[in-house]
Amino acid sequence: MKYFNHKEFDCPGKPGTGELMDNDFLQKLDKAREIYGKSMRVNSGYRTKEHNAKIGGVKNSSHLRGLAADISCKSSGDRFDMLNAFMQAGFKRIGVANSFIHVDTDEDKSQNIIWTY
């Protein structure tokens, strides 16, 4: 990866779990970061079942399989630019919240969708 390191994707309190992230997902996210042209901060990457339950994540969360990340985003301009970069990089599952954007590459779920939280 050019723009990220595995530590950024570690589950809180579980060093090294970022190494469990899917490589194809990370390459796609790296490509989006290059298109975006600015740094991106990972709010949530890999999650253990315990952490996912603690924060109220869905039981079949793509974070549990290393196929998802939530990227911090606080302004509408950045949101527009990030969404553009994610779609150009090939992400087909995007969730938009007030303070972050979720992207995943989980092919077991519906494709070509954008949802809001």
Side-chain angles (χ1 to χ4, degrees):
M1 288 179 293
K2 183 175 179 181
Y3 298 104
F4 295 98
N5 67 67
H6 286 97
K7 290 179 184 178
E8 293 177 84
F9 298 91
D10 283 352
C11 186
K14 297 286 184 178
T17 52
E19 297 285 340
L20 300 172
M21 292 296 293
D22 180 79
N23 190 56
D24 291 336
F25 170 84
L26 293 174
Q27 293 301 322
K28 195 172 278 193
L29 189 60
D30 221 37
K31 181 178 178 182
R33 163 57 185 88
E34 184 159 320
I35 294 166
Y36 180 57
K38 296 188 257 183
S39 65
M40 291 179 171
R41 187 171 67 81
V42 178
N43 285 352
S44 181
Y46 185 83
R47 292 181 191 163
T48 62
K49 286 183 182 180
E50 297 78 18
H51 180 69
N52 191 60
K54 179 181 176 182
I55 64 169
V58 296
K59 287 187 181 197
N60 67 339
S61 173
S62 302
H63 290 272
L64 297 168
R65 295 176 30 214
L67 297 171
D70 297 340
I71 306 298
S72 179
C73 182
K74 305 216 180 203
S75 77
S76 59
D78 283 342
R79 189 173 299 112
F80 180 88
D81 292 341
M82 277 189 191
L83 286 170
N84 183 47
F86 290 139
M87 288 188 284
Q88 281 189 47
F91 283 100
K92 297 181 180 191
R93 294 182 41 79
I94 301 171
V96 181
N98 285 337
S99 62
F100 68 90
I101 297 175
H102 167 100
V103 290
D104 73 60
T105 55
D106 195 334
E107 293 182 358
D108 292 338
K109 297 180 180 174
S110 299
Q111 301 295 300
N112 300 317
I113 61 169
I114 296 177
W115 66 91
T116 56
Y117 291 93

